[in-house]
Amino acid sequence: MSENNSNLIEVRNLTKHFPAGRSLLGAGRDVVRAVDDVSFTIRRGETFGLVGESGCGKSTTGRSILRLIEPTSGEVRFAGKDLLSVAPNELRRLRREMQIIFQDPYSSLNPRMKVGEIIEEPLVIHRVGNRTERADRVADLLRRVGLEPEHSGRYPHEFSGGQRQRIGIARALALNPRFIVCDEPVSALDVSVQAQIVNLLQDLQEQLGLTYLFISHGLSVVEHISTRVGIMYLGKLVEVASSEEIFRNPLHPYTQALLSAIPIPDPELRHERLPLKGDIATSSEAPTGCRFRTRCPIAETRCADKEPELIEVTAAHFVACMVVAPDHKR
C-alpha cells in the first residue's frame, strides 16, 4: 500500500486471546477473547474514538496496535507497513512515530525521575541529539503543553493530576510521532481538567498534524473530540460511523442504550432511558451468535445461530446486527 494512501492505520482481523487457567473439571484451558476479529481504519489527521464498557477490549486493541501486547493474529498496517511482520530494527524505528498516552497520570510517571528526565528519556533511548539539544527540546515541549521549563527539575508528586497528564503528553510528543493512542487520557481527572486536556490534545493535533486513536468510556468527551467512532462490545465492533452520525442516528441497540444513559443537565429536558436487562456475558464465555443478544431488547431466535458481520447499512455507517441490517442487505 502506498504512503500517500489516506489511511495511516489499517487494522484487519485483529485478535488477542489470553489464557485464563483451567476450565471446569480440568478439561483444557479457558480463553479470554479480549479482541476478536476487529477491523477498522484511521485516516491521517483524524481522531478515531473507541467506546465501550470496561472490559470490552478497547485498551487491548490500542496496545495490540502498538505491539505493547503481541496480538494472537491479524494484521496492523502503519503507513502501509505491516507492524506484525517487520524486523526488530525496523519496528524500533517505527516506534518513534507511534506513541501512547496512558490512563493514569499517577502511575505512568516514574516517581524517582525528574520531569525533565522523564520527557528526555525517549530521546536518549533513540539517540536523538546531544545533551544541550535534548534540554532545549524538553523546554520546548513543556511550554507546548502549558507548563514552564523550570518544571523540568521537579518530581511528579509535586504536580496535580492534570499537570501530570500534560507531562505524559509531552513525553509522548518527544520523538515527533505521527500517531498517538490516547488510552482513556482524561478518565482519572476532574471534569473541569478533562476539558483542558481535551482542548490541548485538539490544539496539538491541529498544530502538529497528529492522528489519534482516542479510547474512552466517556461518551461526551468522545463526541467532542472524535471524527469517527467505533462502538465495542465483548471484543467485537458493533457499530462504526462518523461522530455526528453515531450521536444523531445510532442504529445498534447497544449504542442506543449507551447514548440513552448520558445525563442531561437541563431538568426540563428528559429522554427515555433504555435499560439493558438479562445476563451480562464475559469475554471468556461469550454467547453463541450475536454476543449482545442476551441483553438485547430486539433479539430474535436467529441471533443465536450466526455472529453478525459489520456491514455498511448507509453511507459510511457500519452496523453488526441482523435485525437492524436484514439478510437481504448482506
Side-chain angles (χ1 to χ4, degrees):
M1 189 170 295
S2 61
E3 172 68 18
N4 60 7
N5 189 280
S6 62
N7 295 326
L8 181 64
I9 300 291
E10 295 186 35
V11 178
R12 300 173 183 169
N13 310 114
L14 183 66
T15 298
K16 179 59 184 178
H17 294 171
F18 294 97
R22 293 283 177 182
S23 60
L24 187 64
L25 302 179
R29 302 190 73 178
D30 287 337
V31 174
V32 176
R33 295 173 172 82
V35 180
D36 212 2
D37 196 25
V38 167
S39 300
F40 61 92
T41 61
I42 306 178
R43 304 183 189 113
R44 299 173 192 274
E46 82 165 346
T47 299
F48 186 88
L50 201 54
V51 182
E53 296 171 308
S54 295
C56 72
K58 345 183 260 299
S59 293
T60 302
T61 299
R63 295 180 185 217
S64 296
I65 290 173
L66 299 180
R67 285 187 65 180
L68 297 178
I69 298 174
E70 287 295 329
T72 302
S73 62
E75 184 178 350
V76 178
R77 289 187 172 272
F78 173 78
K81 297 181 179 179
D82 186 357
L83 295 179
L84 306 188
S85 63
V86 295
N89 288 342
E90 177 67 4
L91 179 61
R92 179 184 174 89
R93 188 191 68 78
L94 288 172
R95 286 195 185 282
R96 297 177 57 168
E97 303 186 56
M98 305 177 294
Q99 296 294 317
I100 185 169
I101 300 168
F102 294 100
Q103 174 180 357
D104 188 355
Y106 293 89
S107 62
S108 62
L109 303 179
N110 189 331
R112 298 185 179 183
M113 295 176 67
K114 294 181 179 180
V115 165
E117 296 170 334
I118 291 172
I119 299 173
E120 184 188 15
E121 186 177 28
L123 302 171
V124 174
I125 291 173
H126 288 272
R127 301 175 184 176
V128 176
N130 56 40
R131 181 173 296 181
T132 301
E133 291 170 339
R134 292 196 296 266
D136 291 341
R137 176 65 173 159
V138 169
D140 177 65
L141 287 167
L142 285 169
R143 293 190 194 97
R144 191 176 285 275
V145 299
L147 299 174
E148 297 298 330
E150 52 266 30
H151 288 154
S152 63
R154 300 182 185 178
Y155 288 93
H157 73 269
E158 300 179 66
F159 296 87
S160 67
Q163 289 173 321
R164 290 190 192 195
Q165 197 59 290
R166 290 174 186 268
I167 295 166
I169 293 171
R171 177 178 58 185
L173 294 174
L175 294 169
N176 289 315
R178 289 194 280 169
F179 173 62
I180 297 179
V181 173
C182 304
D183 187 6
E184 304 208 38
V186 299
S187 63
L189 306 176
D190 292 339
V191 174
S192 59
V193 180
Q194 286 183 12
Q196 296 173 17
I197 297 300
V198 168
N199 290 336
L200 173 63
L201 289 171
Q202 289 183 304
D203 291 342
L204 291 170
Q205 183 176 42
E206 183 176 347
Q207 295 165 13
L208 304 175
L210 298 170
T211 301
Y212 293 145
L213 172 61
F214 192 91
I215 298 167
S216 179
H217 58 262
L219 290 166
S220 299
V221 175
V222 169
E223 181 181 17
H224 180 70
I225 196 173
S226 299
T227 313
R228 290 186 301 134
V229 176
I231 308 295
M232 283 193 78
Y233 184 78
L234 286 186
K236 302 284 288 188
L237 278 174
V238 298
E239 188 163 3
V240 178
S242 69
S243 178
E244 179 182 1
E245 179 72 5
I246 283 283
F247 286 88
R248 182 183 61 85
N249 183 35
L251 296 180
H252 197 282
Y254 177 60
T255 308
Q256 293 171 353
L258 287 180
L259 296 182
S260 75
I262 299 177
I264 297 178
D266 188 345
E268 299 298 325
L269 296 176
R270 295 183 178 272
H271 61 185
E272 183 181 357
R273 293 287 301 272
L274 301 174
L276 297 178
K277 301 179 181 179
D279 298 330
I280 301 177
T282 65
S283 297
S284 60
E285 298 177 348
T288 59
C290 176
R291 301 185 179 196
F292 184 61
R293 66 179 177 82
T294 58
R295 304 171 69 190
C296 182
I298 62 171
E300 300 177 356
T301 304
R302 59 176 173 159
C303 296
D305 300 331
K306 181 181 177 182
E307 194 164 62
E309 301 175 10
L310 192 68
I311 66 168
E312 189 171 19
V313 177
T314 60
H317 193 154
F318 298 82
V319 181
C321 178
M322 287 184 284
V323 179
V324 172
D327 290 342
H328 71 270
K329 292 185 178 180
R330 295 179 176 274

